[in-house]
Amino acid sequence: MEPLEETANTILAEDDPWPALEESGLALAGVPEEAGGSGGDLADAAVLLRAAGRHAAAVPLAETGWLAGRLLAESGLTVPSGPLTAASGDVRAVRDGDGWILDGTLRRVPWARSAHRLAVLTTTPAGGLVALVDPSRLQVEEGANVAGEPRDDVVLAGVRAEAAAPCPVDAAELRRRGALARAVQLTGAMRGALDLAVRYAGEREQFGRPIGRFQAVQQALAELAGEVTVADVAVRAAVRAPDDPVAVAAAKANASRAAGRVAAIAHQVHGAIGVTGEHVLGRVTARLWAWRDEYGNEAEWADTLGALAASASDPWALITGS
Amino acid sequence: MARSDVLEPGTLPPGTGELRARVREFLAATPFTPRCDCWLTGADPAFSRRLGERGWLGMTLPERYGGHGRSPLERFAVIEELLAAGAPVGAHWIADRQIGPSLLNHGTEEQKHRFLPAIARGECFFAIGMSEPDSGSDLASVRTRAERDGDGWRLHGTKVWTSGAHLAHAILVLARSAPKDTDRHAGLSQFIVPLPAEGVAIRPILGLSGEHHFNEVVFDGAFVPDDLVLGRPGDGWRQVTAELAYERSGPERLLSTFLLVRLLHARADGPAARRALGALTARLWSLRQASLAVAGALAAGETPDVPAALVKDLGTRFESEVIEVVREHAGVEPDPASADPLARALAEAVVQAPGFTLRGGTNEILRGIVARGLGVR
């Protein structure tokens, strides 16, 4: 195993991995060091996200580095310490002296209530703008996804940004980045579900032998492994081409599609034990059910790809990228 | 789970884009009727020879055997272009895909010089005699036997579902050359039989559409001299299973129905059809990444048996899914005689589809291989 992957899996298997992520700097992997991050590229950041998914870690890792950290760094702002999140939405920014006043509402902002700072992406007549605000001073209406992760609505009523800068990233690009992050997390969680199902099939005995000895169970596990492997390699390819709209859309659509099948098979293999609240499988599958719909599910990304295909002269060129 | 189960994405070598563009130019300039499942149903010897002239057969074979010394990934790009276009590649398919590599790995110098240059020119097509009336998934149970006779062997037995045997210049036959003992995988050998040959009768087995692609090949004492045994007598099982690696997870396990996607694209004018097109694109893009990753691992000298098996399982099921999705949005009924290419392609596809998840190892057998890889079997 590569050292980073090993470290990531060790830290993210802990009950509360966040302090170790911050201390080691890994919370800001993929964010340039000069902006306050810990350096490394997107593939390194993906190693961490994958491990977080695999261990169903309840941490705002994608939000802190992959989304907010990179956004701030690309806009020339210093990345604050602590958990961060990023969002765009129906927010208006108005000049006030040398600062900006923000008004509007952001829906289903991941981890807003526990984020140290929120990076708000908006547009002004002069172009894109990213503004930093402290969510503890805002009106936050708490919501959650199926896995119990915070997805809060945030109201900005004439709030003054702590810092702001023109931003080269637009809302569509932020959404694409979110989709790729969730796709990586999905593949981690899918691998977690596969590991659990394979282990359980080897341990659980019925009719005098481990259930994994039955062909019906073996065939189901093989399908599970197939979906996990294909989703994983597709997402890895997209991480290498994060600016390719076809790659990201295809990888997220496929991962979202696979997530449902993976969760269903993993539960079927586990039987009733898997549907109890304290079993670890539920923490993994709840994330599969949540993340497959976040930043666009398979239907939404299929629409994007369908539109791209319809405007291309040859759908095959879209598949090969040339 | 072990790190070795992770597939790293495959990368096409530099210059592949140019190669791809040349294949597309050739396809645009060469008349042919696109077909679904073209690597089984689209046999056109003249088309095969044209590919040979351009250096697109035997691409990975060394130049001293008439090949072109290209990487397997360059071949990947060429064949996926041909398949995506529904081009008639059936005549040479088996020779190019697995006989060439197999001869290169196990053949004698004499065998290599005799067959490889002709394979690369598109002038030597092969059939492969594996399945028998009583041996399908359980391939080691084959009963075709080879009996020692002077400086060679005499073959007795029957092979079935032998694709393209009626067009082939030779057939590679798996037969039992020593009686079965406790190791049922021992005592099998591979024999090259040039066709036509005395003691070999080839009869058509018509498919669901009534078309002739499969054959029954009966060996009634056909003589094979020692110099046409492939590899070592008794090593047949090992050689055949290695050959299967070339047969699994290539682009032909994803693209057998891609023609339907192209035809749907040409008339996908509503949001529902566009969404369907997008969903198929997403799945195919992802499966292709997996196929490419396996090809990259094979090219790097690895033996990715388990990933190859699972890519073939998911890929062939995708080929059938395409039919169901396109049917929903086509607005035409499948009709083999239609002037509408989509109606005709649908008719071709539905009757070929049952074979997608059978040939080259049924999906149940493949999932068994995956389950063994997972450690539960």
Side-chain angles (χ1 to χ4, degrees):
Chain A
M1 229 188 252
E2 296 158 34
L4 177 61
E5 193 178 337
E6 207 172 319
T7 309
N9 276 305
T10 306
I11 292 178
L12 284 152
E14 292 171 16
D15 282 341
D16 179 17
W18 190 257
L21 286 171
E22 285 231 36
E23 276 161 36
S24 60
L26 293 176
L28 289 173
V31 179
E33 287 176 55
E34 53 273 24
S38 60
D41 58 16
L42 213 52
D44 295 325
V47 169
L48 286 148
L49 285 189
R50 214 176 281 123
R54 183 173 172 188
H55 298 287
V59 284
L61 188 56
E63 290 74 14
T64 299
W66 189 286
L67 293 173
R70 284 163 68 212
L71 201 61
L72 296 169
E74 285 160 335
S75 309
L77 294 174
T78 301
V79 181
S81 61
L84 308 173
T85 190
S88 70
D90 185 17
V91 172
R92 201 160 49 94
V94 178
R95 246 322 182 187
D96 177 46
D98 57 356
W100 293 89
I101 302 290
L102 306 175
D103 275 284
T105 305
L106 296 166
R107 304 269 177 216
R108 295 192 70 73
V109 180
W111 301 93
R113 78 189 75 151
S114 47
H116 177 56
R117 289 293 181 275
L118 161 62
V120 181
L121 182 64
T122 183
T123 51
T124 70
L129 183 85
V130 64
L132 265 184
V133 295
D134 179 355
S136 70
R137 299 171 59 188
L138 304 175
Q139 186 191 328
V140 172
E141 194 142 322
E142 296 192 355
N145 67 15
V146 192
E149 296 177 327
R151 298 294 183 259
D152 304 328
D153 291 349
V154 177
V155 179
L156 301 139
V159 63
R160 191 177 172 85
E162 289 179 11
C167 181
V169 172
D170 64 7
E173 170 63 14
L174 184 64
R175 176 179 157 83
R176 188 152 61 225
R177 290 180 180 189
L180 185 55
R182 289 293 184 264
V184 175
Q185 291 172 289
L186 279 169
T187 57
M190 283 193 249
R191 197 159 293 276
L194 174 62
D195 289 350
L196 290 170
V198 168
R199 194 197 312 157
Y200 187 73
E203 289 168 359
R204 170 72 171 172
E205 292 195 7
Q206 288 290 278
F207 305 102
R209 50 185 164 153
I211 59 170
R213 290 284 171 210
F214 292 97
Q215 282 195 335
V217 176
Q218 291 171 0
Q219 297 272 307
L221 288 171
E223 183 183 350
L224 175 48
E227 290 291 355
V228 174
T229 303
V230 170
D232 184 59
V233 71
V235 170
R236 282 170 195 266
V239 167
R240 291 182 184 187
D243 299 324
D244 177 350
V246 173
V248 175
K252 175 63 160 84
N254 184 67
S256 288
R257 163 185 158 144
R261 190 72 196 125
V262 164
I265 296 174
H267 273 293
Q268 192 69 19
V269 169
H270 275 83
I273 194 75
V275 297
T276 53
E278 68 264 32
H279 197 280
V280 61
L281 179 65
R283 294 203 288 128
V284 173
T285 52
R287 281 169 175 76
L288 293 176
W289 293 316
W291 293 341
R292 65 178 175 170
D293 282 325
E294 293 180 357
Y295 297 104
N297 62 20
E298 60 267 44
E300 291 170 86
W301 286 110
D303 285 342
T304 301
L305 278 173
L308 286 169
S311 62
S313 61
D314 180 2
W316 176 242
L318 217 61
I319 304 283
T320 61
S322 62
Chain B
M1 178 162 346
R3 187 72 173 69
S4 62
D5 292 317
V6 171
L7 268 182
E8 285 297 331
T11 312
L12 292 168
T16 309
E18 212 175 297
L19 178 62
R20 193 185 289 286
R22 279 196 284 126
V23 178
R24 287 183 189 172
E25 267 168 46
F26 166 79
L27 287 168
T30 308
F32 64 89
T33 305
R35 297 196 59 152
C36 279
D37 204 16
C38 61
W39 57 282
L40 177 63
T41 64
D44 179 347
F47 188 88
S48 296
R49 280 194 298 275
R50 285 186 178 175
L51 293 179
E53 284 162 16
R54 277 160 182 79
W56 296 335
L57 297 183
M59 285 180 72
T60 62
L61 300 174
E63 289 175 31
R64 67 181 180 283
Y65 301 124
H68 304 281
R70 308 295 287 261
S71 91
L73 291 166
E74 288 173 302
R75 177 177 178 272
F76 184 100
V78 169
I79 63 170
E80 70 172 356
E81 288 299 322
L82 297 169
L83 293 165
V89 294
H92 65 264
W93 192 258
I94 290 167
D96 180 65
R97 178 180 66 184
Q98 70 221 74
I99 302 294
S102 203
L103 279 167
L104 190 66
N105 287 336
H106 309 299
T108 63
E109 275 306 300
E110 196 189 327
Q111 288 167 354
K112 290 179 196 176
H113 284 291
R114 175 169 173 187
F115 294 107
L116 294 180
I119 286 175
R121 285 196 304 271
E123 291 174 1
C124 178
F125 308 139
F126 261 80
I128 191 144
M130 293 220 248
S131 294
E132 297 183 2
D134 294 322
S135 301
S137 291
D138 183 10
L139 186 59
S141 72
V142 290
R143 290 202 299 228
T144 295
R145 64 185 199 281
E147 287 175 355
R148 200 69 193 138
D149 182 10
D151 294 335
W153 304 79
R154 290 205 179 268
L155 299 181
H156 298 272
T158 300
K159 296 291 179 182
V160 286
W161 322 125
T162 313
S163 312
H166 55 302
L167 301 169
H169 302 94
I171 178 168
L172 183 62
V173 183
L174 180 70
R176 181 154 287 289
S177 52
K180 225 187 250 187
D181 62 9
T182 46
D183 178 6
R184 60 201 300 268
H185 296 147
L188 295 167
S189 304
Q190 286 187 293
F191 300 89
I192 304 167
V193 183
L195 296 172
E198 207 177 309
V200 181
I202 298 172
R203 287 191 279 268
I205 298 176
L206 300 185
L208 288 175
S209 62
E211 288 190 0
H212 177 198
H213 308 297
F214 297 124
N215 299 277
E216 176 193 61
V217 184
V218 179
F219 297 89
D220 183 15
F223 183 72
V224 184
D226 280 334
D227 59 12
L228 284 179
V229 174
L230 180 64
R232 283 211 313 263
D235 265 2
W237 182 258
R238 194 181 52 78
Q239 290 169 201
V240 160
T241 46
E243 224 168 74
L244 285 173
Y246 299 101
E247 220 196 288
R248 291 188 176 146
S249 83
E252 74 271 31
R253 304 304 183 178
L254 324 171
L255 292 173
S256 300
T257 52
F258 186 72
L259 180 59
L260 294 176
V261 179
R262 278 211 150 118
L263 294 169
L264 178 67
H265 170 261
R267 58 182 82 174
D269 37 18
R274 276 203 297 275
R275 172 175 288 186
L277 185 64
L280 292 176
T281 301
R283 186 66 165 172
L284 179 56
W285 188 91
S286 302
L287 288 165
R288 176 177 176 270
Q289 289 299 331
S291 174
L292 189 54
V294 175
L298 276 171
E302 297 165 30
T303 45
D305 296 358
V306 171
L310 63 82
V311 171
K312 182 165 176 280
D313 178 27
L314 268 61
T316 53
R317 284 191 282 154
F318 168 76
E319 293 182 326
S320 293
E321 179 190 340
V322 169
I323 299 173
E324 301 310 304
V325 172
V326 171
R327 273 180 57 237
E328 272 182 49
H329 302 281
V332 292
E333 295 170 18
D335 180 350
S338 177
D340 177 352
L342 182 51
R344 203 171 62 237
L346 270 173
E348 284 167 8
V350 292
V351 295
Q352 291 304 117
F356 298 163
T357 47
L358 297 173
R359 57 193 179 191
T362 68
N363 289 42
E364 288 72 21
I365 290 287
L366 298 171
R367 280 179 230 144
I369 292 169
V370 175
R372 184 176 292 133
L374 292 172
V376 291
R377 200 182 139 219

